[in-house]
Amino acid sequence: MPPEFLTESVLHPDYPLPDVDDPVMRPFWEGARAGKLMQQRDRLTGLVHWPPKPQYWKDGARLEWFEANGKGIVHTYVVAYEPFLPALAHLLPHIMVVVELACGPRIVGHMVRAKPEEMRFGLPVRVVFKRLNDRVTLPVWEIDEVAGSAASRD
């Protein structure tokens, strides 16, 4: 299935943007722009690292980036009814999540197309991507209806 991209219609001037040029995180942000959730793993052990390690870690030769399948479960979440930054007021209620990826690590993000009353621990989610501008695309999360209906049949 091709990646899905949402767009931010108007970006608040104070919206906090990540440093997409950071050398450690660059493959992650380049992947997000291409609609891929990139993760880093140790070639020797298969252990997935999040946050990623710098290339000099254990000589760098042991590290590789790969495309994760973009599926996981909600490990924990919080619903904000007041903006902690004015630039995020349009997201209210803002559902922030820690997603446990199918490949192992936990990653922080926020939910889209979800209501607070739909949230629960262990909720299956899938990644979609939100373009903030021409350089920054965020991985965000939505309820994985397919995984949820499969789980309810088990």
Side-chain angles (χ1 to χ4, degrees):
M1 180 159 71
E4 182 176 350
F5 289 94
L6 308 173
T7 57
E8 188 71 36
S9 55
V10 177
L11 194 60
H12 190 284
D14 294 329
Y15 195 103
L17 296 173
D19 179 3
V20 296
D21 295 318
D22 175 88
V24 174
M25 293 296 296
R26 187 177 297 128
F28 176 80
W29 295 118
E30 288 172 351
R33 271 195 305 276
K36 299 176 181 180
L37 183 65
M38 301 302 291
Q39 293 289 289
Q40 186 190 70
R41 72 177 152 221
D42 184 318
R43 293 175 204 263
L44 184 63
T45 65
L47 183 65
V48 179
H49 296 286
W50 188 260
K53 306 285 187 204
Q55 283 301 312
Y56 59 78
W57 182 80
K58 296 193 178 183
D59 192 25
R62 288 178 49 178
L63 300 174
E64 67 179 350
W65 285 89
F66 70 98
E67 183 180 357
N69 72 3
K71 294 186 179 283
I73 60 167
V74 172
H75 177 73
T76 192
Y77 67 96
V78 65
V79 180
Y81 290 96
E82 294 185 24
F84 59 92
L85 294 173
L88 303 177
H90 69 289
L91 298 174
L92 297 178
H94 186 190
I95 305 169
M96 294 160 278
V97 291
V98 174
V99 172
E100 185 172 322
L101 298 176
C103 61
R106 295 177 184 155
I107 187 170
V108 175
H110 72 266
M111 294 292 291
V112 295
R113 299 189 283 229
K115 296 177 184 149
E117 58 270 17
E118 296 175 295
M119 297 304 297
R120 61 181 166 76
F121 303 116
L123 180 69
V125 293
R126 71 180 193 97
V127 71
V128 293
F129 296 90
K130 187 172 187 179
R131 290 195 195 281
L132 299 182
N133 61 33
D134 62 336
R135 298 195 69 225
V136 179
T137 299
L138 297 179
V140 294
W141 302 92
E142 71 176 3
I143 297 171
D144 187 347
E145 300 292 348
V146 175
S149 63
S152 65
R153 289 191 302 264
D154 293 342

